[in-house]
Amino acid sequence: MSTSSTVDRAFGAALYDTADTALDTAASLLAADPAADAELARRGAEFVATAWRRGWQPADVVRIVRRELDDAHVRLVAGLIRAQAPHDRPRGPRWAAQLEDLPDPTAGPRTDRFSHATAVLELYRLLLRLPVLEPLETGEPHRESRPESRALARIRALLAKAEATGYPEEAEALSAKAQELMARHSVDEALLSAHAPAPDAPGACRIGVEPPYEQAKAVLLDAVADANHCRAVWNEAFGFSTVVGFEADLEAVELLYTSLLVQAETAMTRAEAAQRAGGRKRTKTFRQSFLAAYAHRAGTRLRAVAERTAAETGAADADLLPVLASREVAVTDRLERMFPETTTTRLRGVDDAAGWTEGTRAADRAQVGHRRPLPGR
């Protein structure tokens, strides 16, 4: 029997039939034919290439595999992505960074052939069923990656300090300063691009929104995007938001969202411990309400900083406001072309007064306004 025939028989038995018995039969076929291993890996690389054609990127595939399967499957798909990469076309610095961040496919324990074949088939079942996503690439030539600017380096340093401090007021001040620098950096990039021979066009990236409390985290990401001249659309089913904006602003959103999430979870753990010490046991609703309040209030504060910075710079540079307006139109146009239909989702389970109060205090001890709707697919 040829190796191709073995793989075809295994696929016919398992990939289109979700029954455990079908999976066991197919895994036994593969385990009994070591000569089929190379063909099996080649087919996996084809599944990966098909995922790219459907709009998926390396980080997206790793995220969905981690969400739906186990660590062993994550290592397997990382190996497939690495094996397929030399045969792929150049796709730009963000894609290259995702390849560099792939988990080590050799890090896990060795398993017997049957267990390995079972995991491979489970992974291929998932890859086979990946739907088409909105493409992030525009078809335009990729710009060469630039070294990180001094502004972004300072922003990273400020956010690292905010994450490390044990004092909420200091964390808030450092995050606000980081947002101010982000706003100034965005303005500088906008003016440079406007006067360049070939102005930049808006891009897009996907940022993971991991459980638990995904809704509140998606609201936080939406608020950070909005404060930094970007727009975010949440895909609840696959655990990410697509953020549309200019490259410098996308970098700022990724940095600030990640940092604020770390700070929010640290503050939430501390506040929850105080609640438990007082005899309280309902933690799920407390956490959901805490993160929702934090997201709302952090967004209000970030927008105020960004608007103040833009106003101050605009008063000194008459060219700025038309440039920012044209970029906003370009971002909105790209978003509407990518997502011609979106819906709004309101937060569920945000009914814990103590959680809301503590989340607001963790953001900046200010009064809370009404919650914003969340755009989604």
Side-chain angles (χ1 to χ4, degrees):
M1 182 186 301
S2 70
T3 58
S4 178
S5 176
T6 299
V7 173
D8 287 339
R9 287 179 63 203
F11 281 10
L15 294 196
Y16 304 96
D17 187 339
T18 58
D20 290 340
T21 54
L23 186 66
D24 290 346
T25 300
S28 297
L29 285 170
L30 295 173
D33 187 3
D37 291 356
E39 176 65 13
L40 187 64
R42 189 187 69 78
R43 301 286 186 95
E46 289 180 352
F47 280 126
V48 168
T50 299
W52 301 166
R53 291 193 291 274
R54 291 176 178 173
W56 292 74
Q57 296 197 350
D60 304 324
V61 171
V62 170
R63 186 186 308 113
I64 193 67
V65 171
R66 180 175 285 117
R67 184 183 175 107
E68 299 293 331
L69 299 171
D70 298 318
D71 288 344
H73 303 88
V74 172
R75 291 190 294 270
L76 284 172
V77 82
L80 291 176
I81 293 171
R82 288 181 188 276
Q84 193 272 342
H87 309 289
D88 203 4
R89 61 181 174 81
R91 292 179 181 267
R94 191 179 292 279
W95 189 287
Q98 292 180 29
L99 293 178
E100 291 210 0
D101 287 341
L102 287 171
D104 182 357
T106 65
R110 294 180 62 85
T111 60
D112 61 85
R113 288 189 55 80
F114 178 80
S115 298
H116 175 76
T118 300
V120 169
L121 291 169
E122 288 170 336
L123 172 63
Y124 289 6
R125 277 180 173 178
L126 176 60
L127 296 179
L128 179 67
R129 290 165 173 75
L130 292 180
V132 174
L133 296 180
E134 299 78 9
L136 301 185
E137 298 171 305
T138 61
E140 300 174 355
H142 288 288
R143 295 176 179 269
E144 291 296 322
S145 59
R146 297 177 298 175
E148 184 172 77
S149 68
R150 291 178 62 188
L152 279 177
R154 289 183 64 197
I155 290 164
R156 284 186 191 277
L158 283 169
L159 293 176
K161 289 181 180 179
E163 293 167 24
T165 182
Y167 300 97
E169 294 84 358
E170 183 181 11
E172 292 160 10
L174 290 166
S175 297
K177 182 62 177 176
Q179 176 61 59
E180 181 181 346
L181 288 179
M182 287 175 179
R184 295 188 185 281
H185 180 56
S186 177
V187 165
D188 292 342
E189 290 287 323
L191 291 172
L192 284 173
S193 176
H195 294 98
D200 286 338
C205 68
R206 297 189 187 104
I207 298 177
V209 181
E210 305 293 347
Y213 316 113
E214 303 97 312
Q215 277 198 323
K217 293 174 182 177
V219 170
L220 177 61
L221 177 52
D222 183 70
V224 173
D226 184 64
N228 287 281
H229 313 292
C230 297
R231 300 280 297 279
V233 176
W234 183 36
N235 185 319
E236 183 176 8
F238 294 117
F240 63 76
S241 284
T242 302
V243 183
V244 179
F246 288 86
E247 185 58 34
D249 297 328
L250 293 176
E251 291 176 347
V253 169
E254 287 184 288
L255 277 174
L256 189 54
Y257 169 69
T258 302
S259 179
L260 286 179
L261 194 56
V262 169
Q263 294 177 55
E265 291 179 340
T266 300
M268 181 175 65
T269 300
R270 188 182 300 117
E272 186 180 41
Q275 291 284 314
R276 284 180 176 173
R280 180 189 173 94
K281 295 181 180 179
R282 290 176 58 207
T283 58
K284 184 175 180 179
T285 54
F286 177 85
R287 290 176 179 179
Q288 177 81 359
S289 298
F290 181 103
L291 288 173
Y294 187 98
H296 171 85
R297 192 55 198 159
T300 301
R301 175 168 53 86
L302 296 176
R303 283 192 298 275
V305 171
E307 290 168 2
R308 184 178 69 248
T309 303
E312 291 171 354
T313 310
D317 192 330
D319 292 336
L320 175 62
L321 295 182
V323 169
L324 292 182
S326 67
R327 284 164 75 90
E328 182 177 351
V329 169
V331 169
T332 300
D333 179 66
R334 174 77 195 276
L335 182 89
E336 291 176 348
R337 282 187 284 114
M338 288 182 69
F339 303 99
E341 295 183 7
T342 61
T343 61
T344 57
T345 302
R346 293 195 175 276
L347 279 169
R348 299 182 295 270
V350 183
D351 54 7
D352 188 298
W356 185 271
T357 300
E358 291 297 330
T360 304
R361 288 175 178 169
D364 70 355
R365 314 268 196 290
Q367 186 175 0
V368 176
H370 295 292
R371 295 194 295 276
R372 320 170 53 232
L374 172 69
R377 297 185 62 216

